[in-house]
Amino acid sequence: MSIPEETFDVVVIGGGPVGENAADRASRTGLSVALVESELVGGECSYWACMPSKVLLRAGAVRALAKETPGLRDPGAPDAAAVFARRDEITSNWDDSGQVSWVESAGLTLVRGHGRLAGERLVEVTLRAGTGSEAQGGAESGLGEAETGEAPAKRLLRARHAVIAATGSVPVLPGTPGLAEAAPWSSREATAADTVPESLVVVGGGVVGVEMANAYADLGARVTLLSRGGLLSSAEPFAGEMVAESLAALGVDVRTGAEVASVERPGIGAEDGGPGPVTVTLADGGTITAAEILVATGRVPRTADLGIESVGLDESGLGRGGALVVDESLQVTGVPGGWLYACGDVTGRAPTTHQGKYQGRIVGDVVAARYGTEAGDRSPTSGDPEPAVGQEGKPWSRYAATADHSARVQVVFTRPQVSWVGPTEREARAAGIPVEAVSYDLAWVAGASVESPGYKGRAQVLVDTQRRVLVGATFVGPDAGEMLHAATIAVVGEVPLDRLWHAVPAYPTVSEVWLRFLESYGL
């Protein structure tokens, strides 16, 4: 029996924050939009990543601040049960009804199920059991074909104009002997756990690894962090070094240059007693035993089951890790007709939620302007008749994702926090940008001495010595994430240093470091 096609102007595959932004913006010039989501509307960030992880880190950060502030008593170790309860509140107990209400209020059509490309402008959706043929809200779990004994129902969605892929990314599990069989945690299990393991081995020194090592050490676990290189390798070297020092002071056994050779865990699948402890054997022959193991060795774009072969793409047309290759308007290259777009982690360009939402806004605007009945003169070609030219000669335009290249931002919520915008010094020099790094010890700023007698922090900006503008900045210290946007504005706006000199920082705040940067550079 053939499945009848349902027609929309635009179909968005993926209902996380990136897909939501793309769908909302695409609908603003009268286009009908279907939003396809296989799990919870709101995606990884809302339920298993950004939001819950920051809650797990918050209590330890507040305790540390209290301990460092004269006149306050140590409030004691965080109450893990209360922290988990607050995490559950932030994630709405993994119920997406509120997000579904927003989707409906925005005039979008929600389709629950796994969406994949099935041909030109065609998306096949394998529905979640229990949803039938109608769009559904709530967070009910579906059963697959193997559990019900019946083939799952499907819907065919035909896009008149465009399909936007916002399918995100998935964790990478190394092929280490015994690792897959040891039932390791990914970031999902780490952020959704309801008990604190007595001990935890974290494999990976990136953002997830250092944040979860910090969080679980705060909550009372004995944590060992293993990293093949240094920590936070995508940031300036001093940032990872300061985080490593802080984690060690917290009691985390930080081992850089460590490589896992094998993993063993007895009792997996046993009916009684459950799994036993995990034993990790390192390449140097040493072993570590812990109650749980978290693997945080990176993520890859979610394209394995996107049906790219049905639209003429194969592995040779994909980017690193299987990413969809896109131009500055987020249109996927290599697809005849130019109807397929992508945004967020699936593009491999800048895998963070905020950068993905930025891409979602751009691609939504592009689609709305190109195809919307109310678009008027807001087309990508006529909307910015004389766009400003930014770094690398790329035009600054609401229809071009240029910030993915020159103004990517990142915040790591460890203690101390780490934040940066633009390239590192090494990346800038490799790109041929003539830069001078200007560093400053944040503890020397008056505002820092007011905050805490034991304040530790460091900041650095990169000056393009030819154009005399900032191209990058890094901050490490308490609440460093809140200091980042001023730097982002300076980088995106390409504010000349002579003009930046007249931006007077308030006294006594840590932001006075901006004056010190300019003085150190010679202004």
Side-chain angles (χ1 to χ4, degrees):
M1 180 177 178
S2 62
I3 304 172
E5 293 183 3
E6 305 166 62
T7 303
F8 297 87
D9 291 320
V10 180
V11 178
V12 179
I13 308 175
V18 177
E20 286 179 322
N21 272 265
D24 179 38
R25 302 288 289 213
S27 71
R28 294 189 180 188
T29 53
L31 297 174
S32 60
V33 181
L35 181 65
V36 181
E37 173 53 45
S38 62
E39 296 185 286
L40 299 180
V41 178
E44 202 78 16
C45 180
S46 298
Y47 304 102
W48 300 287
C50 315
M51 300 300 287
S53 65
K54 304 313 168 276
V55 173
L56 296 182
L57 286 157
R58 182 62 181 165
V62 172
R63 181 195 183 193
L65 179 61
K67 290 173 65 177
E68 294 167 1
T69 303
L72 292 180
R73 296 180 179 178
D74 181 355
D79 180 340
V83 171
F84 289 143
R86 175 59 178 158
R87 183 270 322 274
D88 294 348
E89 182 181 355
I90 285 292
T91 60
S92 300
N93 289 289
W94 292 276
D95 184 326
D96 64 357
S97 299
Q99 296 274 19
V100 171
S101 295
W102 173 85
V103 169
E104 294 171 345
S105 70
L108 309 174
T109 298
L110 175 63
V111 180
R112 287 194 178 275
H114 174 72
R116 66 191 311 273
L117 300 169
E120 182 177 350
R121 295 184 176 86
L122 187 63
V123 176
E124 179 187 81
V125 183
T126 301
L127 301 180
R128 280 172 33 172
T131 62
S133 61
E134 301 298 325
Q136 296 288 325
E140 73 278 3
S141 298
L143 299 177
E145 178 178 357
E147 295 167 289
T148 63
E150 299 178 2
K154 296 185 178 182
R155 293 172 71 175
L156 286 178
L157 310 182
R158 171 71 66 180
R160 291 188 185 92
H161 303 300
V163 174
I164 303 173
T167 51
S169 59
V170 292
V172 174
L173 187 66
T176 305
L179 180 58
E181 295 76 19
W185 279 4
S186 68
S187 56
R188 282 198 171 195
E189 288 76 21
T191 57
D194 55 11
T195 59
V196 179
E198 179 182 354
S199 51
L200 175 67
V201 172
V202 179
V203 182
V207 176
V208 172
V210 296
E211 286 190 349
M212 289 299 93
N214 200 149
Y216 276 93
D218 281 341
L219 293 173
R222 186 176 70 255
V223 180
T224 302
L225 176 61
L226 307 176
S227 178
R228 295 179 63 179
L231 304 188
L232 298 178
S233 59
S234 58
E236 296 285 3
F238 70 84
E241 292 166 2
M242 293 180 71
V243 169
E245 180 182 347
S246 176
L247 288 174
L250 188 60
V252 177
D253 181 3
V254 179
R255 304 191 192 186
T256 57
E259 186 168 353
V260 178
S262 64
V263 177
E264 184 178 1
R265 187 175 201 178
I268 293 293
E271 294 183 2
D272 298 322
V278 180
T279 299
V280 177
T281 301
L282 303 179
D284 64 6
T287 61
I288 304 164
T289 300
E292 292 290 351
I293 180 171
L294 164 62
V295 179
T297 51
R299 302 176 69 89
V300 295
R302 191 193 297 263
T303 55
D305 193 23
L306 185 56
I308 57 170
E309 66 284 349
S310 71
V311 298
L313 286 177
D314 56 24
E315 292 185 3
S316 65
L318 299 179
R320 183 178 179 182
L324 294 177
V325 180
V326 295
D327 64 16
E328 301 304 340
S329 69
L330 286 310
Q331 188 177 82
V332 177
T333 61
V335 178
W339 55 271
L340 182 60
Y341 296 79
C343 52
D345 285 11
V346 74
T347 69
R349 287 168 60 119
T352 58
T353 296
H354 43 266
Q355 214 74 30
K357 290 168 70 175
Y358 158 75
Q359 292 179 8
R361 293 190 293 272
I362 287 174
V363 73
D365 284 353
V366 167
V367 169
R370 284 180 175 163
Y371 308 111
T373 56
E374 304 166 15
D377 64 354
R378 289 180 289 176
S379 70
T381 55
S382 65
D384 288 335
E386 295 181 0
V389 176
Q391 297 168 18
E392 303 178 21
K394 298 181 183 296
W396 293 112
S397 165
R398 66 178 290 193
Y399 301 111
T402 45
D404 286 353
H405 304 289
S406 54
R408 288 174 294 172
V409 296
Q410 177 78 65
V411 179
V412 185
F413 290 82
T414 44
R415 203 164 55 253
Q417 287 185 9
V418 178
S419 65
W420 69 94
V421 58
T424 62
E425 182 178 3
R426 176 182 58 80
E427 291 170 338
R429 295 190 186 283
I433 303 173
V435 293
E436 179 178 335
V438 182
S439 297
Y440 202 82
D441 188 332
L442 289 176
W444 297 346
V445 181
S449 63
V450 172
E451 285 200 14
S452 169
Y455 189 105
K456 291 183 179 180
R458 181 178 172 186
Q460 174 179 290
V461 294
L462 297 178
V463 179
D464 182 324
T465 56
Q466 287 185 352
R467 296 186 301 130
R468 289 175 63 82
V469 297
L470 297 186
V471 295
T474 298
F475 299 91
V476 182
D479 296 320
E482 300 298 334
M483 299 180 66
L484 184 63
H485 199 57
T488 303
I489 292 171
V491 170
V492 172
E494 300 177 358
V495 182
L497 296 187
D498 291 339
R499 184 63 179 161
L500 198 58
W501 175 257
H502 296 283
V504 181
Y507 181 92
T509 67
V510 182
S511 291
E512 195 181 15
V513 70
W514 284 97
L515 173 59
R516 304 308 172 208
F517 282 146
L518 296 170
E519 290 177 335
S520 298
Y521 189 66
L523 269 71

